[in-house]
Amino acid sequence: MSSIDPIQIFGHIGSPYSRKMVALMRYRQIPYRVTWGDPREALQSLGVAVPKPALLPVLLLPGDDEQPHPQPEALCDSTPLIRRLEHLYSDRSVLPQDPALAFIDYLLEDYADEWVTKFMFHYRWHFAADAGHAGNLLPLGYSVSLPDAMLQQMSVMLSERQIGRLGVVGSSEQTAPVIEAGYRRFLQVMEAHLASQPYMLGSRPGSGDFALYGQLTQLVGVDPTPRHIALDLAPRVVAWTSLMEDQSGLDLAGAQWNDPVDLPSTLRPLLNEIGRTYVPAQLANAAALQAGQSIWECEIDGRRWVQSAFAYQGKCLSWLREEFAQLAKADQQRVLGALDGTGCEALLVGLV
């Protein structure tokens, strides 16, 4: 690791996935340095291939150790990055040792990355006041010294592009009530759970905690409307988001993971929420992709939902199922027992 230690991260303060990975690095006490901004120019100057697409964050990690002079790799996509870091560093793991609990943690991470992000994108760009706030603030994440004329130009360009993508990610006048009711329920179930234990799956954080934290940095830390809702409904969640930013000093002596066959009762409403909203979306998206359709629609929370089919989310479902398929039969049964009746088990039909 000495040739690339500390690990270089390229990110943006307005990127929930950047915040997810930086907080995870702090907690795991992995040496790192962050460059806030577009990584392309820096990577090109280093002679490192730019990922396609270059989604934030980008991490510069060691290349193939079997080569005499391994070239560093620029990689993105936070979920596989977390697993790659687990192979490079063994201390303070964020993956539960119990295989069944590790799968539940993977499900929580997937839900945060692929569904809670809909809350974030909707509240940021659906309401004019929030869109104006984000349009003015986010360009400054590249440089606080942007000239006013350039700031105005970037603000208009960014806002128009992102508002234009609302329908692509599923935010519309039709789906807004589902998104907004789901956000409120999500806050309330997290609030109740945090009253019983400090992290999703015990007294130490898993990858799902950092994924949820990443989205919440924006929902309760940047965008006005969802922050006001959170302050009203879920003060514990707001405080937890601030605390999760730096868990480098957490003492793991005596810290325990939950038992997957005896999960706290406060976790079940969160699993129910995943089954209520994210699961039908994933299944409908997968069916559309398999049929070669560009649009999927289904009923979510009693309302019709329509949006573009996403190949990446199809991959997410495939990866989740692969994680389950790799479990021993006894561990698969423990997972199904934990998920029984939540709706999440529908993701795994036909795999046992």
Side-chain angles (χ1 to χ4, degrees):
M1 291 299 299
S2 60
S3 63
I4 195 170
D5 191 8
I7 288 175
Q8 174 69 58
I9 303 174
F10 299 92
H12 191 283
I13 58 171
S15 158
Y17 306 100
S18 298
R19 303 289 291 275
K20 169 187 177 181
M21 291 305 299
V22 170
L24 182 138
M25 299 287 278
R26 287 178 180 147
Y27 164 70
R28 298 205 60 207
Q29 300 176 358
I30 298 173
Y32 71 93
R33 59 172 179 257
V34 181
T35 298
W36 299 113
D38 193 315
R40 291 175 179 84
E41 184 176 341
L43 292 175
Q44 290 168 355
S45 69
L46 293 170
V48 176
V50 178
K52 295 181 180 180
L55 302 175
L56 296 177
V58 172
L59 271 65
L60 198 58
L61 293 178
D64 186 355
D65 289 337
E66 295 182 0
Q67 299 297 323
H69 301 287
Q71 176 76 353
E73 293 181 278
L75 301 172
C76 52
D77 197 336
S78 60
T79 297
L81 280 170
I82 287 173
R83 277 93 194 142
R84 177 76 173 265
L85 289 170
E86 291 280 337
H87 289 292
L88 296 174
Y89 297 91
S90 59
D91 292 342
R92 300 172 69 86
S93 172
V94 296
L95 304 182
Q97 291 182 336
D98 184 290
L101 193 66
F103 178 84
I104 295 170
D105 182 52
Y106 190 102
L107 175 62
L108 293 176
E109 182 181 3
D110 192 54
Y111 166 71
D113 285 347
E114 305 302 323
W115 188 261
V116 178
T117 197
K118 290 186 186 295
F119 303 154
M120 188 278 294
F121 201 89
H122 170 78
Y123 278 107
R124 175 163 288 176
W125 301 111
H126 180 75
F127 299 102
D130 291 82
H133 173 81
N136 287 329
L137 183 65
L138 296 183
L140 296 172
Y142 294 104
S143 172
V144 294
S145 301
L146 283 174
D148 288 345
M150 185 176 294
L151 174 60
Q152 176 63 23
Q153 181 182 12
M154 291 180 67
S155 176
V156 171
M157 181 178 65
L158 175 66
S159 298
E160 289 180 349
R161 183 182 69 200
Q162 298 297 78
I163 291 170
R165 294 186 66 242
L166 278 167
V168 177
V169 300
S171 171
S172 66
E173 292 297 336
Q174 184 178 49
T175 63
V178 179
I179 295 172
E180 292 166 24
Y183 175 57
R184 289 174 177 271
R185 288 195 307 271
F186 163 70
L187 288 174
Q188 289 168 327
V189 298
M190 270 202 73
E191 182 77 2
H193 185 58
L194 291 172
S196 68
Q197 64 181 43
Y199 307 102
M200 296 304 100
L201 297 177
S203 53
R204 58 185 295 170
S207 63
D209 289 89
F210 288 101
L212 290 166
Y213 157 79
Q215 303 300 327
L216 285 164
T217 61
Q218 311 303 303
L219 286 160
V220 309
V222 175
D223 301 309
T225 298
R227 175 173 173 78
H228 291 156
I229 294 170
L231 286 169
D232 181 47
L233 292 180
R236 294 179 195 271
V237 176
V238 176
W240 181 84
T241 304
S242 296
L243 289 168
M244 282 293 293
E245 182 174 354
D246 191 344
Q247 291 285 301
S248 60
L250 180 66
D251 185 358
L252 295 183
Q256 299 291 328
W257 298 105
N258 292 135
D259 183 340
V261 299
D262 188 26
L263 293 172
S265 61
T266 52
L267 183 68
R268 190 167 182 84
L270 181 55
L271 296 173
N272 289 340
E273 185 62 25
I274 297 172
R276 180 176 183 169
T277 55
Y278 184 48
V279 169
Q282 279 293 70
L283 295 177
N285 181 71
L289 291 171
Q290 186 173 13
Q293 298 169 346
S294 60
I295 302 291
W296 63 264
E297 63 177 276
C298 69
E299 183 177 292
I300 297 178
D301 203 20
R303 289 178 176 266
R304 182 168 173 263
W305 185 295
V306 181
Q307 76 165 85
S308 299
F310 267 114
Y312 180 79
Q313 291 188 342
K315 291 179 181 179
C316 288
L317 179 55
S318 295
W319 293 331
L320 183 77
R321 288 171 166 170
E322 287 172 9
E323 290 287 323
F324 182 78
Q326 291 169 8
L327 296 175
K329 293 297 182 183
D331 294 327
Q332 289 180 345
Q333 291 302 321
R334 290 194 297 145
V335 168
L336 292 174
L339 300 182
D340 184 43
T342 65
C344 296
E345 66 272 27
L347 295 170
L348 309 173
V349 170
L351 298 183
V352 178

